[in-house]
Amino acid sequence: MRQTKPSPKKSSPEEEKIKIGVIGTGYVGLVTAVCLAELGHQVIGTDVVREKIDLALAGKPHIYEPGLEELLKKNLKKGHLNFYHDLDKTIREADVLFVCVSTPQLPDGRADMSYVEGVSRRIAENLNAYKLIVEKSTVPVRTSAWIKRVINLYRHNDQDFDVASNPEFLREGSAVHDFLHPDRIIIGVESKRAEKILRKIYARFTEKLLVTNIDTAELIKHASNSFLAMKISFINLISELCEKTEADVELVARGMGLDPRIGPQFLRAGLGYGGSCFPKDVRALIHIGEEMGVDFGLLKEVDRINLRRIRIFVDKIKQALWILRDKKIALLGLSFKPETDDIRNAPSIAIIGELQKERAYLRLYDPQAMENMKKLFPEKEPELVYCQSPYQALEGANAGLIITEWPEFVDLDLNRVKSIMSNPILIDGRNIFDPAKVRALGFEYYSMGRK
Ligand code: NAD
């Protein structure tokens, strides 16, 4: 007699292999998709920009991020990872949806939540089974309540769903490493079901989990970024005072950082913070505070100090060259920090703008970010030229500016640099050189918060 197999019981996402959809495959989404696949999950990434999906399917990240391409190729090959152009299909096929779309700054400082709202509506329209919607984008506290309201307003059925917050803490330049070696994973949930699913997704990192309610998780992200920005502005303010005295900000920072209550990180004086997170997250938190009647004057000052860094730096260039018109100035580093091609809110953008106003001739070099910068400042000979190496940029220059602390600049052959520059003047916005050594080689040298 033929044995009939029992018909397979329909299992819920917390029991079977979880299928994850990642919506928005930018810096965070692509890393999230690739790393979740690396953890062994079945992942589909999707984005509104077709080219990003075409490139991802071809195993080529559209961003520069160390280690990403290798893991992307590996997981595509293993079949753990796929990319769809179709958002609706992604939503319908996935059990868990990680929302990784941008939340950029509006002119008044608020976070623009229209992409999150748009995705929430599409989720509502495609709610074909229980879904867990995970906010990975950085969002203002109380966003989950809005997402739930939007889904309830636009859905066509009474399918169950949960919203959770799982803010992302990766740092561009070490994003893959950060994702796979987290200090902490914050999970904001309001149902046991959501908690169980997220615990399963992050099973490899159980000891790193901090489970909170959703408001708390949302606020942890804004509070963390604002605190780090505050540390940077604090040391930059001290650096302003160092410049008026004989104190050396690097040593002040070292002395402070030896206190374990303070710690040495984020105490580098320089051109201030940039990037797609700190400036907008500080302003978003100021705004959230205003909306809720909490005065974040402290963070307004953090922002003001940060904006002042560009003027202080440009003043140093003027101090060295007096008149900038027709001077050839080499800018080394365009990305907002090393090991990334991201130029969003990079100090280089404001500096280029200031130098263009003064009609200087600019020679630009960056190991990864030149293609992005060309979209903002197209090449125009002889005023603005992109160079193939730092040496090409410095050739015949009246001054060289260090704007991003790429290791390649730390390792420059300074004897060679001196021999090719018209005037051996270095203005170091990131304090990468030892003043005594550089001056001993014959340079005129300016840095931040040090004599
Ligand atoms: P990004 O601009 O690189 O990526 C966002 C992606 O979302 C883009 O590729 C965009 O095309 C896509 N997108 C927009 N609307 C969409 C839609 N309706 N459907 C599908 N895709 C859509 O931004 P990012 O740097 O990855 O940041 C994303 C979020 O993560 C932001 O909230 C940011 O604050 C936060 N975050 C960023 C970092 C970081 O270092 N970049 C770190 C932690 C958190």
Side-chain angles (χ1 to χ4, degrees), residues 247-281:
D248 178 321
V249 76
E250 295 287 309
L251 292 174
V252 173
R254 202 186 309 164
M256 289 170 65
L258 287 169
D259 181 336
R261 293 171 303 175
I262 298 174
Q265 289 177 325
F266 283 76
L267 285 182
R268 292 290 311 270
L271 287 166
Y273 55 80
S276 68
C277 292
F278 285 8
K280 89 169 163 62
D281 292 348

PDB file of all heavy atoms in Angstrom, residues 247-281:
ATOM      1  N   ALA A 247      48.649  75.643  23.914  1.00  0.00           N
ATOM      2  CA  ALA A 247      48.194  74.246  24.115  1.00  0.00           C
ATOM      3  C   ALA A 247      48.092  73.517  22.775  1.00  0.00           C
ATOM      4  O   ALA A 247      47.890  74.133  21.739  1.00  0.00           O
ATOM      5  CB  ALA A 247      46.845  74.244  24.818  1.00  0.00           C
ATOM      6  N   ASP A 248      48.259  72.203  22.844  1.00  0.00           N
ATOM      7  CA  ASP A 248      48.215  71.358  21.648  1.00  0.00           C
ATOM      8  C   ASP A 248      46.993  70.449  21.763  1.00  0.00           C
ATOM      9  O   ASP A 248      46.910  69.618  22.674  1.00  0.00           O
ATOM     10  CB  ASP A 248      49.516  70.537  21.600  1.00  0.00           C
ATOM     11  CG  ASP A 248      49.558  69.585  20.426  1.00  0.00           C
ATOM     12  OD1 ASP A 248      48.509  68.989  20.090  1.00  0.00           O
ATOM     13  OD2 ASP A 248      50.646  69.416  19.847  1.00  0.00           O
ATOM     14  N   VAL A 249      46.055  70.598  20.828  1.00  0.00           N
ATOM     15  CA  VAL A 249      44.785  69.876  20.968  1.00  0.00           C
ATOM     16  C   VAL A 249      44.951  68.356  20.922  1.00  0.00           C
ATOM     17  O   VAL A 249      44.193  67.616  21.551  1.00  0.00           O
ATOM     18  CB  VAL A 249      43.755  70.359  19.915  1.00  0.00           C
ATOM     19  CG1 VAL A 249      44.064  69.796  18.534  1.00  0.00           C
ATOM     20  CG2 VAL A 249      42.341  69.962  20.330  1.00  0.00           C
ATOM     21  N   GLU A 250      45.957  67.889  20.187  1.00  0.00           N
ATOM     22  CA  GLU A 250      46.154  66.434  20.106  1.00  0.00           C
ATOM     23  C   GLU A 250      46.496  65.887  21.495  1.00  0.00           C
ATOM     24  O   GLU A 250      46.027  64.826  21.900  1.00  0.00           O
ATOM     25  CB  GLU A 250      47.291  66.097  19.135  1.00  0.00           C
ATOM     26  CG  GLU A 250      46.992  66.467  17.703  1.00  0.00           C
ATOM     27  CD  GLU A 250      45.967  65.547  17.055  1.00  0.00           C
ATOM     28  OE1 GLU A 250      46.157  64.327  17.130  1.00  0.00           O
ATOM     29  OE2 GLU A 250      44.980  66.053  16.488  1.00  0.00           O
ATOM     30  N   LEU A 251      47.329  66.659  22.220  1.00  0.00           N
ATOM     31  CA  LEU A 251      47.725  66.195  23.560  1.00  0.00           C
ATOM     32  C   LEU A 251      46.593  66.404  24.563  1.00  0.00           C
ATOM     33  O   LEU A 251      46.408  65.592  25.476  1.00  0.00           O
ATOM     34  CB  LEU A 251      49.005  66.907  23.997  1.00  0.00           C
ATOM     35  CG  LEU A 251      50.235  66.512  23.173  1.00  0.00           C
ATOM     36  CD1 LEU A 251      51.440  67.356  23.559  1.00  0.00           C
ATOM     37  CD2 LEU A 251      50.553  65.026  23.330  1.00  0.00           C
ATOM     38  N   VAL A 252      45.848  67.483  24.388  1.00  0.00           N
ATOM     39  CA  VAL A 252      44.679  67.690  25.264  1.00  0.00           C
ATOM     40  C   VAL A 252      43.741  66.487  25.093  1.00  0.00           C
ATOM     41  O   VAL A 252      43.263  65.898  26.066  1.00  0.00           O
ATOM     42  CB  VAL A 252      43.934  69.003  24.924  1.00  0.00           C
ATOM     43  CG1 VAL A 252      42.648  69.109  25.729  1.00  0.00           C
ATOM     44  CG2 VAL A 252      44.824  70.213  25.192  1.00  0.00           C
ATOM     45  N   ALA A 253      43.500  66.109  23.831  1.00  0.00           N
ATOM     46  CA  ALA A 253      42.582  64.989  23.551  1.00  0.00           C
ATOM     47  C   ALA A 253      43.136  63.692  24.124  1.00  0.00           C
ATOM     48  O   ALA A 253      42.391  62.882  24.690  1.00  0.00           O
ATOM     49  CB  ALA A 253      42.367  64.855  22.050  1.00  0.00           C
ATOM     50  N   ARG A 254      44.459  63.511  23.995  1.00  0.00           N
ATOM     51  CA  ARG A 254      45.034  62.269  24.536  1.00  0.00           C
ATOM     52  C   ARG A 254      44.862  62.227  26.054  1.00  0.00           C
ATOM     53  O   ARG A 254      44.490  61.213  26.632  1.00  0.00           O
ATOM     54  CB  ARG A 254      46.510  62.144  24.153  1.00  0.00           C
ATOM     55  CG  ARG A 254      46.941  60.687  24.233  1.00  0.00           C
ATOM     56  CD  ARG A 254      48.407  60.427  24.027  1.00  0.00           C
ATOM     57  NE  ARG A 254      48.974  61.028  22.845  1.00  0.00           N
ATOM     58  CZ  ARG A 254      50.283  61.170  22.646  1.00  0.00           C
ATOM     59  NH1 ARG A 254      51.139  60.766  23.560  1.00  0.00           N
ATOM     60  NH2 ARG A 254      50.740  61.726  21.561  1.00  0.00           N
ATOM     61  N   GLY A 255      45.142  63.368  26.666  1.00  0.00           N
ATOM     62  CA  GLY A 255      45.007  63.446  28.122  1.00  0.00           C
ATOM     63  C   GLY A 255      43.576  63.213  28.577  1.00  0.00           C
ATOM     64  O   GLY A 255      43.328  62.538  29.581  1.00  0.00           O
ATOM     65  N   MET A 256      42.640  63.745  27.817  1.00  0.00           N
ATOM     66  CA  MET A 256      41.223  63.525  28.175  1.00  0.00           C
ATOM     67  C   MET A 256      40.837  62.073  27.946  1.00  0.00           C
ATOM     68  O   MET A 256      40.167  61.442  28.767  1.00  0.00           O
ATOM     69  CB  MET A 256      40.308  64.386  27.285  1.00  0.00           C
ATOM     70  CG  MET A 256      40.332  65.855  27.555  1.00  0.00           C
ATOM     71  SD  MET A 256      39.428  66.732  26.238  1.00  0.00           S
ATOM     72  CE  MET A 256      37.768  66.121  26.491  1.00  0.00           C
ATOM     73  N   GLY A 257      41.272  61.537  26.803  1.00  0.00           N
ATOM     74  CA  GLY A 257      40.848  60.194  26.390  1.00  0.00           C
ATOM     75  C   GLY A 257      41.363  59.090  27.287  1.00  0.00           C
ATOM     76  O   GLY A 257      40.809  57.985  27.312  1.00  0.00           O
ATOM     77  N   LEU A 258      42.423  59.381  28.051  1.00  0.00           N
ATOM     78  CA  LEU A 258      42.946  58.356  28.965  1.00  0.00           C
ATOM     79  C   LEU A 258      41.996  58.105  30.127  1.00  0.00           C
ATOM     80  O   LEU A 258      42.108  57.098  30.833  1.00  0.00           O
ATOM     81  CB  LEU A 258      44.328  58.775  29.484  1.00  0.00           C
ATOM     82  CG  LEU A 258      45.446  58.654  28.437  1.00  0.00           C
ATOM     83  CD1 LEU A 258      46.724  59.331  28.937  1.00  0.00           C
ATOM     84  CD2 LEU A 258      45.713  57.201  28.079  1.00  0.00           C
ATOM     85  N   ASP A 259      41.092  59.036  30.339  1.00  0.00           N
ATOM     86  CA  ASP A 259      40.065  58.830  31.365  1.00  0.00           C
ATOM     87  C   ASP A 259      39.022  57.885  30.774  1.00  0.00           C
ATOM     88  O   ASP A 259      38.368  58.230  29.792  1.00  0.00           O
ATOM     89  CB  ASP A 259      39.430  60.187  31.701  1.00  0.00           C
ATOM     90  CG  ASP A 259      38.363  60.079  32.790  1.00  0.00           C
ATOM     91  OD1 ASP A 259      37.792  58.979  32.958  1.00  0.00           O
ATOM     92  OD2 ASP A 259      38.096  61.096  33.449  1.00  0.00           O
ATOM     93  N   PRO A 260      38.873  56.692  31.375  1.00  0.00           N
ATOM     94  CA  PRO A 260      37.940  55.723  30.762  1.00  0.00           C
ATOM     95  C   PRO A 260      36.501  56.235  30.702  1.00  0.00           C
ATOM     96  O   PRO A 260      35.726  55.768  29.897  1.00  0.00           O
ATOM     97  CB  PRO A 260      38.055  54.475  31.651  1.00  0.00           C
ATOM     98  CG  PRO A 260      38.750  54.913  32.884  1.00  0.00           C
ATOM     99  CD  PRO A 260      39.522  56.155  32.563  1.00  0.00           C
ATOM    100  N   ARG A 261      36.181  57.225  31.535  1.00  0.00           N
ATOM    101  CA  ARG A 261      34.814  57.764  31.444  1.00  0.00           C
ATOM    102  C   ARG A 261      34.642  58.589  30.175  1.00  0.00           C
ATOM    103  O   ARG A 261      33.532  58.810  29.716  1.00  0.00           O
ATOM    104  CB  ARG A 261      34.506  58.657  32.663  1.00  0.00           C
ATOM    105  CG  ARG A 261      34.441  57.897  33.964  1.00  0.00           C
ATOM    106  CD  ARG A 261      34.368  58.862  35.124  1.00  0.00           C
ATOM    107  NE  ARG A 261      35.513  59.775  35.105  1.00  0.00           N
ATOM    108  CZ  ARG A 261      35.681  60.797  35.947  1.00  0.00           C
ATOM    109  NH1 ARG A 261      34.762  61.042  36.866  1.00  0.00           N
ATOM    110  NH2 ARG A 261      36.744  61.561  35.873  1.00  0.00           N
ATOM    111  N   ILE A 262      35.756  59.055  29.608  1.00  0.00           N
ATOM    112  CA  ILE A 262      35.675  59.869  28.385  1.00  0.00           C
ATOM    113  C   ILE A 262      36.018  59.013  27.165  1.00  0.00           C
ATOM    114  O   ILE A 262      35.268  58.950  26.210  1.00  0.00           O
ATOM    115  CB  ILE A 262      36.615  61.092  28.484  1.00  0.00           C
ATOM    116  CG1 ILE A 262      36.174  61.985  29.657  1.00  0.00           C
ATOM    117  CG2 ILE A 262      36.637  61.882  27.173  1.00  0.00           C
ATOM    118  CD1 ILE A 262      37.098  63.154  29.950  1.00  0.00           C
ATOM    119  N   GLY A 263      37.172  58.341  27.227  1.00  0.00           N
ATOM    120  CA  GLY A 263      37.584  57.483  26.106  1.00  0.00           C
ATOM    121  C   GLY A 263      38.185  58.299  24.971  1.00  0.00           C
ATOM    122  O   GLY A 263      37.852  59.464  24.783  1.00  0.00           O
ATOM    123  N   PRO A 264      39.096  57.688  24.211  1.00  0.00           N
ATOM    124  CA  PRO A 264      39.841  58.452  23.199  1.00  0.00           C
ATOM    125  C   PRO A 264      39.097  58.660  21.880  1.00  0.00           C
ATOM    126  O   PRO A 264      39.505  59.491  21.073  1.00  0.00           O
ATOM    127  CB  PRO A 264      41.078  57.568  22.958  1.00  0.00           C
ATOM    128  CG  PRO A 264      40.629  56.178  23.281  1.00  0.00           C
ATOM    129  CD  PRO A 264      39.552  56.292  24.322  1.00  0.00           C
ATOM    130  N   GLN A 265      38.013  57.933  21.633  1.00  0.00           N
ATOM    131  CA  GLN A 265      37.405  58.009  20.306  1.00  0.00           C
ATOM    132  C   GLN A 265      36.586  59.280  20.107  1.00  0.00           C
ATOM    133  O   GLN A 265      36.045  59.838  21.053  1.00  0.00           O
ATOM    134  CB  GLN A 265      36.526  56.790  20.072  1.00  0.00           C
ATOM    135  CG  GLN A 265      37.382  55.550  19.887  1.00  0.00           C
ATOM    136  CD  GLN A 265      36.570  54.307  19.734  1.00  0.00           C
ATOM    137  OE1 GLN A 265      35.525  54.163  20.328  1.00  0.00           O
ATOM    138  NE2 GLN A 265      37.059  53.394  18.933  1.00  0.00           N
ATOM    139  N   PHE A 266      36.546  59.704  18.861  1.00  0.00           N
ATOM    140  CA  PHE A 266      35.780  60.898  18.478  1.00  0.00           C
ATOM    141  C   PHE A 266      36.294  62.160  19.165  1.00  0.00           C
ATOM    142  O   PHE A 266      35.541  63.070  19.454  1.00  0.00           O
ATOM    143  CB  PHE A 266      34.273  60.682  18.698  1.00  0.00           C
ATOM    144  CG  PHE A 266      33.686  59.836  17.602  1.00  0.00           C
ATOM    145  CD1 PHE A 266      33.896  58.476  17.570  1.00  0.00           C
ATOM    146  CD2 PHE A 266      32.982  60.425  16.577  1.00  0.00           C
ATOM    147  CE1 PHE A 266      33.412  57.704  16.532  1.00  0.00           C
ATOM    148  CE2 PHE A 266      32.481  59.664  15.531  1.00  0.00           C
ATOM    149  CZ  PHE A 266      32.697  58.295  15.521  1.00  0.00           C
ATOM    150  N   LEU A 267      37.587  62.167  19.442  1.00  0.00           N
ATOM    151  CA  LEU A 267      38.217  63.364  19.990  1.00  0.00           C
ATOM    152  C   LEU A 267      39.311  63.856  19.044  1.00  0.00           C
ATOM    153  O   LEU A 267      40.358  64.300  19.481  1.00  0.00           O
ATOM    154  CB  LEU A 267      38.795  63.088  21.384  1.00  0.00           C
ATOM    155  CG  LEU A 267      37.801  62.974  22.538  1.00  0.00           C
ATOM    156  CD1 LEU A 267      38.524  62.737  23.859  1.00  0.00           C
ATOM    157  CD2 LEU A 267      36.919  64.224  22.656  1.00  0.00           C
ATOM    158  N   ARG A 268      39.070  63.728  17.739  1.00  0.00           N
ATOM    159  CA  ARG A 268      40.040  64.237  16.764  1.00  0.00           C
ATOM    160  C   ARG A 268      39.570  65.605  16.282  1.00  0.00           C
ATOM    161  O   ARG A 268      38.518  65.729  15.668  1.00  0.00           O
ATOM    162  CB  ARG A 268      40.122  63.291  15.541  1.00  0.00           C
ATOM    163  CG  ARG A 268      40.720  61.915  15.801  1.00  0.00           C
ATOM    164  CD  ARG A 268      42.207  61.912  16.094  1.00  0.00           C
ATOM    165  NE  ARG A 268      43.041  62.668  15.181  1.00  0.00           N
ATOM    166  CZ  ARG A 268      43.597  62.179  14.091  1.00  0.00           C
ATOM    167  NH1 ARG A 268      43.400  60.935  13.736  1.00  0.00           N
ATOM    168  NH2 ARG A 268      44.377  62.942  13.339  1.00  0.00           N
ATOM    169  N   ALA A 269      40.396  66.599  16.594  1.00  0.00           N
ATOM    170  CA  ALA A 269      40.056  67.940  16.088  1.00  0.00           C
ATOM    171  C   ALA A 269      40.314  67.971  14.586  1.00  0.00           C
ATOM    172  O   ALA A 269      41.175  67.261  14.085  1.00  0.00           O
ATOM    173  CB  ALA A 269      40.920  68.968  16.798  1.00  0.00           C
ATOM    174  N   GLY A 270      39.559  68.761  13.877  1.00  0.00           N
ATOM    175  CA  GLY A 270      39.758  68.826  12.433  1.00  0.00           C
ATOM    176  C   GLY A 270      38.706  69.665  11.748  1.00  0.00           C
ATOM    177  O   GLY A 270      38.304  70.712  12.259  1.00  0.00           O
ATOM    178  N   LEU A 271      38.265  69.163  10.615  1.00  0.00           N
ATOM    179  CA  LEU A 271      37.296  69.916   9.804  1.00  0.00           C
ATOM    180  C   LEU A 271      35.861  69.664  10.231  1.00  0.00           C
ATOM    181  O   LEU A 271      34.929  70.148   9.598  1.00  0.00           O
ATOM    182  CB  LEU A 271      37.466  69.544   8.328  1.00  0.00           C
ATOM    183  CG  LEU A 271      38.727  70.119   7.687  1.00  0.00           C
ATOM    184  CD1 LEU A 271      39.015  69.448   6.362  1.00  0.00           C
ATOM    185  CD2 LEU A 271      38.566  71.610   7.500  1.00  0.00           C
ATOM    186  N   GLY A 272      35.688  68.878  11.285  1.00  0.00           N
ATOM    187  CA  GLY A 272      34.335  68.649  11.785  1.00  0.00           C
ATOM    188  C   GLY A 272      33.704  67.428  11.155  1.00  0.00           C
ATOM    189  O   GLY A 272      34.277  66.791  10.281  1.00  0.00           O
ATOM    190  N   TYR A 273      32.489  67.135  11.604  1.00  0.00           N
ATOM    191  CA  TYR A 273      31.810  65.948  11.071  1.00  0.00           C
ATOM    192  C   TYR A 273      31.063  66.297   9.794  1.00  0.00           C
ATOM    193  O   TYR A 273      30.629  67.419   9.591  1.00  0.00           O
ATOM    194  CB  TYR A 273      30.878  65.337  12.114  1.00  0.00           C
ATOM    195  CG  TYR A 273      29.842  66.283  12.697  1.00  0.00           C
ATOM    196  CD1 TYR A 273      28.669  66.577  12.009  1.00  0.00           C
ATOM    197  CD2 TYR A 273      30.031  66.871  13.942  1.00  0.00           C
ATOM    198  CE1 TYR A 273      27.711  67.422  12.544  1.00  0.00           C
ATOM    199  CE2 TYR A 273      29.083  67.732  14.481  1.00  0.00           C
ATOM    200  CZ  TYR A 273      27.928  68.003  13.778  1.00  0.00           C
ATOM    201  OH  TYR A 273      26.983  68.850  14.297  1.00  0.00           O
ATOM    202  N   GLY A 274      30.940  65.290   8.932  1.00  0.00           N
ATOM    203  CA  GLY A 274      30.163  65.443   7.699  1.00  0.00           C
ATOM    204  C   GLY A 274      29.410  64.152   7.468  1.00  0.00           C
ATOM    205  O   GLY A 274      29.099  63.425   8.415  1.00  0.00           O
ATOM    206  N   GLY A 275      29.148  63.861   6.208  1.00  0.00           N
ATOM    207  CA  GLY A 275      28.480  62.602   5.890  1.00  0.00           C
ATOM    208  C   GLY A 275      26.972  62.732   5.891  1.00  0.00           C
ATOM    209  O   GLY A 275      26.413  63.791   6.178  1.00  0.00           O
ATOM    210  N   SER A 276      26.342  61.610   5.629  1.00  0.00           N
ATOM    211  CA  SER A 276      24.884  61.632   5.450  1.00  0.00           C
ATOM    212  C   SER A 276      24.152  61.474   6.773  1.00  0.00           C
ATOM    213  O   SER A 276      22.930  61.525   6.805  1.00  0.00           O
ATOM    214  CB  SER A 276      24.477  60.503   4.515  1.00  0.00           C
ATOM    215  OG  SER A 276      24.701  59.265   5.156  1.00  0.00           O
ATOM    216  N   CYS A 277      24.893  61.273   7.883  1.00  0.00           N
ATOM    217  CA  CYS A 277      24.187  60.987   9.140  1.00  0.00           C
ATOM    218  C   CYS A 277      24.290  62.096  10.180  1.00  0.00           C
ATOM    219  O   CYS A 277      23.275  62.683  10.559  1.00  0.00           O
ATOM    220  CB  CYS A 277      24.705  59.684   9.739  1.00  0.00           C
ATOM    221  SG  CYS A 277      24.248  58.267   8.741  1.00  0.00           S
ATOM    222  N   PHE A 278      25.501  62.378  10.663  1.00  0.00           N
ATOM    223  CA  PHE A 278      25.614  63.286  11.814  1.00  0.00           C
ATOM    224  C   PHE A 278      24.937  64.644  11.596  1.00  0.00           C
ATOM    225  O   PHE A 278      24.127  65.056  12.429  1.00  0.00           O
ATOM    226  CB  PHE A 278      27.079  63.481  12.221  1.00  0.00           C
ATOM    227  CG  PHE A 278      27.695  62.311  12.943  1.00  0.00           C
ATOM    228  CD1 PHE A 278      27.025  61.099  13.070  1.00  0.00           C
ATOM    229  CD2 PHE A 278      28.954  62.414  13.506  1.00  0.00           C
ATOM    230  CE1 PHE A 278      27.586  60.027  13.723  1.00  0.00           C
ATOM    231  CE2 PHE A 278      29.537  61.348  14.170  1.00  0.00           C
ATOM    232  CZ  PHE A 278      28.854  60.146  14.274  1.00  0.00           C
ATOM    233  N   PRO A 279      25.257  65.351  10.484  1.00  0.00           N
ATOM    234  CA  PRO A 279      24.637  66.688  10.363  1.00  0.00           C
ATOM    235  C   PRO A 279      23.111  66.603  10.372  1.00  0.00           C
ATOM    236  O   PRO A 279      22.445  67.370  11.079  1.00  0.00           O
ATOM    237  CB  PRO A 279      25.164  67.197   9.013  1.00  0.00           C
ATOM    238  CG  PRO A 279      26.416  66.420   8.762  1.00  0.00           C
ATOM    239  CD  PRO A 279      26.188  65.073   9.373  1.00  0.00           C
ATOM    240  N   LYS A 280      22.560  65.655   9.623  1.00  0.00           N
ATOM    241  CA  LYS A 280      21.093  65.614   9.545  1.00  0.00           C
ATOM    242  C   LYS A 280      20.482  65.041  10.819  1.00  0.00           C
ATOM    243  O   LYS A 280      19.410  65.481  11.245  1.00  0.00           O
ATOM    244  CB  LYS A 280      20.649  64.818   8.312  1.00  0.00           C
ATOM    245  CG  LYS A 280      20.464  63.328   8.499  1.00  0.00           C
ATOM    246  CD  LYS A 280      19.782  62.696   7.312  1.00  0.00           C
ATOM    247  CE  LYS A 280      19.946  61.193   7.296  1.00  0.00           C
ATOM    248  NZ  LYS A 280      19.382  60.447   8.395  1.00  0.00           N
ATOM    249  N   ASP A 281      21.157  64.105  11.457  1.00  0.00           N
ATOM    250  CA  ASP A 281      20.563  63.507  12.657  1.00  0.00           C
ATOM    251  C   ASP A 281      20.570  64.485  13.833  1.00  0.00           C
ATOM    252  O   ASP A 281      19.631  64.518  14.637  1.00  0.00           O
ATOM    253  CB  ASP A 281      21.285  62.197  13.023  1.00  0.00           C
ATOM    254  CG  ASP A 281      21.019  61.105  11.991  1.00  0.00           C
ATOM    255  OD1 ASP A 281      20.112  61.297  11.143  1.00  0.00           O
ATOM    256  OD2 ASP A 281      21.715  60.062  12.007  1.00  0.00           O
TER     257      ASP A 281
END
